[in-house]
Amino acid sequence: MSTHQFNLNLLNGFALRQGAKPVPTPSTAKRVLAYLAVHGPSSRAVVAGELWPEVTEGRADGSLRSTLWRLGRRSHDLVRCHADVLSLGEPVEVDVDELDRAARAVLDGEPIGAAGQAVVLRGGDLLPDWAEQWVVIERERLRQLRLHALDALAEQLCARGGYPEALAAAMQAVDVEPLRESGHRALIMIYLASGSPGHALDHYESYRTMLRTVLGLEPSARMRTLLSRGVRDTPDVRAADPG
Amino acid sequence: MSERPSLVLLDGFALSVRGQHVELARSLQRLLAYVALHRAPSRLRTAAALWPDPQAERSLSRLRTALWRTSRLAVPVLVAEGERLRLAPQVRLDLDQLTKGREQRLAALVRRRHELLPGWYEDWVLERRQHTKLLYLRALERAAERELRQARYGRAVEATMAALRTEPLRETPHRLLIEIHLAEGNYTEALAAYQSYQRLLREELGIGPAPHVQQLVRRPPR
């Protein structure tokens, strides 16, 4: 059972393992596996055309065939070919799928448990060194999906009173994209909800300074409202003016 | 498992009956695809498109052979009504999901490429492929607008990213992406999305974004 199980990791770089053993993978095979992992079942013609765009269709299909052949005995477990459609084999677990599933579940408001939370928190960049257009678009899709999942997770956890976990999620969002306001708003919301308006003010000030310095911009009206409401409702810091 | 035969033309040809894949000769695949993509075509037109021959009788004879072989499948998939050919009414066609009935679930919409019969180069496929691509893009953009209106920004972004994957230079998804970031109060993200669109247009076409797109990020919202 476990010997037939493959793990294909595309987050923070390519890695293919069978059980605990790394599987040596030629670079063309890496591209085929990554393409199928990201796009799901795809016709041979599309895969060949996308991965070998510079050559004739016949040559491209030949390259695809020899790539699959060089994966050897394992190729039947790794790649299925059905009619003229290629897909990853059943025994291949892909880390991107795991992140996708967990992130979507958060967005749908479904409970994901500690394991799912860990997946969203860990995240990772899709194949960071690959420059192909399809990877660039997919990387950005995944980054946006994770950012929004982190926003939603922070809000859900905060509403349940799980402040430390909520903070971890919001901090990850800020870490991925330091200038993006949603993450900072989430942090401020959590500080306010957990009874630390001083932290909220400090954080607002440091975000404002960064935004001014880097882009010459001001935080949004939404953020100022969030802060002034939150601080007003907390009597002992009423003196502090957010902005 | 559905009793109804299902005909898939997006991302590769597949016919299945009760969940079982049915192997078909390429000539029968072409016949089914042609009939599915044209509204009840006549025998003559179908024969001429699929088996062009100066002698019409020879094309028609090959069509008759193909129809006969189709009729021997376990379930009826094609019906001939006089001069007209159509899919049997119980056949479910995947293309219909892009145009008919309720909005598709977003997850199903974004996961696949929705390319019509990739690797087929007949003229009648190429024409329809472009049309199908447009239907797909519109379905994604409708989904993005719907999610944006309901303040479900993560899903709205997903739908626009799927549209960009299909057509990287199309303005509507770029504009929607900027609008989504703005609606979330993320002006810096909107600006980054605008700038990457601007760069792409300059590199690929040597032009800039349209004024109504520029307008979106002209100044930060107060």
Side-chain angles (χ1 to χ4, degrees), chain A:
Chain A
M1 173 76 192
S2 67
T3 52
H4 291 286
Q5 191 65 46
F6 289 93
N7 286 291
L8 176 57
N9 293 346
L10 304 180
L11 296 174
N12 300 328
F14 186 101
L16 178 64
R17 281 178 294 118
Q18 185 172 23
K21 274 208 321 272
V23 178
T25 320
S27 70
T28 49
K30 285 183 183 170
R31 296 166 73 215
V32 172
L33 293 171
Y35 190 89
L36 293 176
V38 162
H39 291 93
S42 310
S43 81
R44 296 181 74 100
V46 166
V47 177
E50 285 261 12
L51 298 185
W52 289 275
E54 313 294 336
V55 302
T56 64
E57 197 191 334
R59 296 267 309 268
D61 195 60
S63 302
L64 177 59
R65 218 162 336 118
S66 75
T67 298
L68 295 176
W69 182 79
R70 282 199 295 167
L71 279 171
R73 273 181 307 118
R74 296 192 186 93
S75 76
H76 294 290
D77 289 329
L78 288 169
V79 179
R80 291 278 146 82
C81 187
H82 187 57
D84 61 349
V85 175
L86 299 174
S87 56
L88 286 187
E90 285 293 320
V92 185
E93 287 275 343
V94 184
D95 59 353
V96 174
D97 286 346
E98 194 184 30
L99 177 55
D100 243 354
R101 265 196 307 272
R104 277 165 205 275
V106 175
L107 290 181
D108 290 345
E110 291 163 12
I112 56 165
Q117 271 182 37
V119 168
V120 176
L121 284 177
R122 193 178 336 121
D125 238 9
L126 182 75
L127 299 169
D129 303 330
W130 295 28
E132 288 94 332
Q133 180 72 13
W134 64 267
V135 181
V136 172
I137 291 180
E138 216 47 43
R139 187 185 299 140
E140 175 62 12
R141 178 191 75 81
L142 212 55
R143 195 183 70 98
Q144 288 291 345
L145 178 64
R146 176 162 176 255
L147 280 169
H148 285 91
L150 287 168
D151 291 348
L153 193 58
E155 199 173 322
Q156 289 163 16
L157 290 166
C158 181
R160 268 188 266 145
Y163 301 124
E165 296 85 358
L167 273 180
M171 281 170 169
Q172 271 299 317
V174 166
D175 204 43
V176 174
E177 205 50 72
L179 290 169
R180 183 174 178 270
E181 198 184 278
S182 290
H184 294 281
R185 275 201 306 267
L187 277 178
I188 289 173
M189 168 190 75
I190 298 160
Y191 288 137
L192 291 171
S194 61
S196 316
H199 279 118
L201 277 173
D202 288 349
H203 190 83
Y204 174 83
E205 280 307 330
S206 72
Y207 175 62
R208 187 166 76 157
T209 307
M210 174 173 69
L211 205 54
R212 273 185 182 165
T213 317
V214 180
L215 293 171
L217 291 171
E218 288 295 319
S220 74
R222 188 188 304 200
M223 190 168 206
R224 294 195 301 272
T225 312
L226 169 75
L227 192 67
S228 54
R229 267 200 208 130
V231 173
R232 188 187 56 211
D233 295 345
T234 316
D236 47 322
V237 287
R238 192 178 295 158
D241 177 24

Side-chain angles (χ1 to χ4, degrees), chain B residues 120-152:
Chain B
W120 292 35
Y121 297 104
E122 291 88 340
D123 284 343
W124 55 270
V125 178
L126 297 182
E127 281 161 23
R128 296 292 163 139
R129 183 175 301 151
Q130 192 52 34
H131 180 65
T132 305
K133 186 170 170 180
L134 266 174
L135 290 177
Y136 178 51
L137 287 167
R138 293 218 181 107
L140 286 170
E141 287 159 5
R142 277 201 309 276
E145 277 160 4
R146 189 178 63 229
E147 302 293 337
L148 171 57
R149 272 198 306 276
Q150 296 175 10
R152 292 198 296 240

Side-chain angles (χ1 to χ4, degrees), chain B residues 34 38-50 83-84 128:
Chain B
Y34 188 87
H38 296 81
R39 213 170 277 274
S42 71
R43 286 169 186 261
L44 201 58
R45 188 172 153 214
T46 309
L50 297 181
E83 195 36 33
R84 301 274 162 193
R128 296 292 163 139

Side-chain angles (χ1 to χ4, degrees), chain B residues 3-222:
Chain B
E3 290 291 299
R4 296 173 59 188
S6 124
L7 179 59
V8 171
L9 302 183
L10 296 173
D11 304 313
F13 183 99
L15 175 68
S16 55
V17 176
R18 289 181 216 104
Q20 292 291 313
H21 181 76
V22 181
E23 284 294 337
L24 283 184
R26 185 61 176 240
S27 62
L28 298 193
Q29 293 185 0
R30 293 168 76 230
L31 174 60
L32 282 183
Y34 188 87
V35 173
L37 291 173
H38 296 81
R39 213 170 277 274
S42 71
R43 286 169 186 261
L44 201 58
R45 188 172 153 214
T46 309
L50 297 181
W51 296 280
D53 193 304
Q55 286 180 270
E57 191 42 49
R58 284 222 288 253
S59 309
L60 282 168
S61 147
R62 300 190 64 178
L63 173 63
R64 271 194 300 277
T65 308
L67 285 173
W68 178 79
R69 287 170 66 195
T70 312
S71 71
R72 296 177 31 112
L73 294 172
V75 287
V77 289
L78 270 189
V79 288
E81 294 170 345
E83 195 36 33
R84 301 274 162 193
L85 302 174
R86 49 182 108 235
L87 289 185
Q90 63 270 30
V91 174
R92 259 203 309 234
L93 178 63
D94 64 344
L95 265 184
D96 287 345
Q97 289 167 358
L98 282 183
T99 48
K100 285 189 194 159
R102 291 187 304 135
E103 294 287 343
Q104 255 199 99
R105 276 180 52 85
L106 185 61
L109 207 53
V110 299
R111 273 208 71 84
R112 309 289 299 262
R113 302 172 61 98
H114 290 69
E115 184 169 351
L116 181 70
L117 296 170
W120 292 35
Y121 297 104
E122 291 88 340
D123 284 343
W124 55 270
V125 178
L126 297 182
E127 281 161 23
R128 296 292 163 139
R129 183 175 301 151
Q130 192 52 34
H131 180 65
T132 305
K133 186 170 170 180
L134 266 174
L135 290 177
Y136 178 51
L137 287 167
R138 293 218 181 107
L140 286 170
E141 287 159 5
R142 277 201 309 276
E145 277 160 4
R146 189 178 63 229
E147 302 293 337
L148 171 57
R149 272 198 306 276
Q150 296 175 10
R152 292 198 296 240
Y153 304 118
R155 287 138 147 247
V157 170
E158 275 239 273
T160 60
M161 296 303 299
L164 289 179
R165 174 160 76 193
T166 308
E167 192 66 84
L169 291 172
R170 189 172 158 91
E171 182 191 284
T172 311
H174 284 287
R175 173 178 57 75
L176 278 168
L177 192 56
I178 294 167
E179 286 175 355
I180 296 162
H181 290 316
L182 289 174
E184 283 182 285
N186 288 332
Y187 180 71
T188 57
E189 289 279 289
L191 208 56
Y194 175 82
Q195 283 160 353
S196 84
Y197 175 48
Q198 191 179 37
R199 203 162 40 240
L200 186 69
L201 276 186
R202 196 172 47 227
E203 281 165 11
E204 300 287 327
L205 306 173
I207 59 172
H212 68 107
V213 182
Q214 295 176 23
Q215 200 65 42
L216 290 173
V217 289
R218 179 142 299 160
R219 67 177 66 85
R222 290 275 70 210

